[in-house]
Amino acid sequence: MTTAPRSPSAQPTHAQLTARALTTGAVAGLVLLLPTVVLAWIVVLASERGGRCLTYGEQCSGVPGGALWACFWASAALGAVALAGPRTRWVPARCGAVVLQWGTQLTLGVLILAGA
């Protein structure tokens, strides 16, 4: 019994695997954006300093709210750009968008925690 050789088109190419990984990274970043923000705020508000800020308006964070919103919307927009781009073309641009997406998302979490 002989088996037919596999056709080369049945195997995914490197570009297809890279495109799939970039799509997965962008979707994961978008899905984890809100939980990152909520968890960071819970940690901040659970601290003594966060409680004083919430209750008395004392010792509040010096991080401007505009910076937090800019990081949030930039991360969401970069994730959308990475998903909207052609999958197997413009791989370097999509890779850059995903890296920037994760960078702004992590920066947002650190800025929120810096207020603790």
Side-chain angles (χ1 to χ4, degrees), residues 4-105:
R6 293 182 110 181
S7 65
S9 62
Q11 295 290 331
T13 65
H14 178 68
Q16 290 171 333
L17 292 174
T18 303
R20 187 174 299 145
L22 289 173
T23 300
T24 303
V27 168
L30 288 173
V31 167
L32 292 174
L33 181 59
L34 281 177
T36 300
V37 171
V38 169
L39 184 62
W41 277 114
I42 288 172
V43 169
V44 168
L45 293 176
S47 70
E48 180 182 345
R49 183 176 175 180
R52 290 192 68 78
C53 178
L54 188 63
T55 306
Y56 304 114
E58 301 172 351
Q59 300 178 353
C60 293
S61 173
V63 178
L68 299 177
W69 283 109
C71 285
F72 179 85
W73 289 114
S75 179
L78 287 164
V81 165
L83 288 176
R87 299 209 185 248
T88 55
R89 293 185 313 173
W90 300 351
V91 172
R94 288 184 68 218
C95 183
V98 171
V99 167
L100 288 173
Q101 173 194 10
W102 278 95
T104 55
Q105 184 168 337

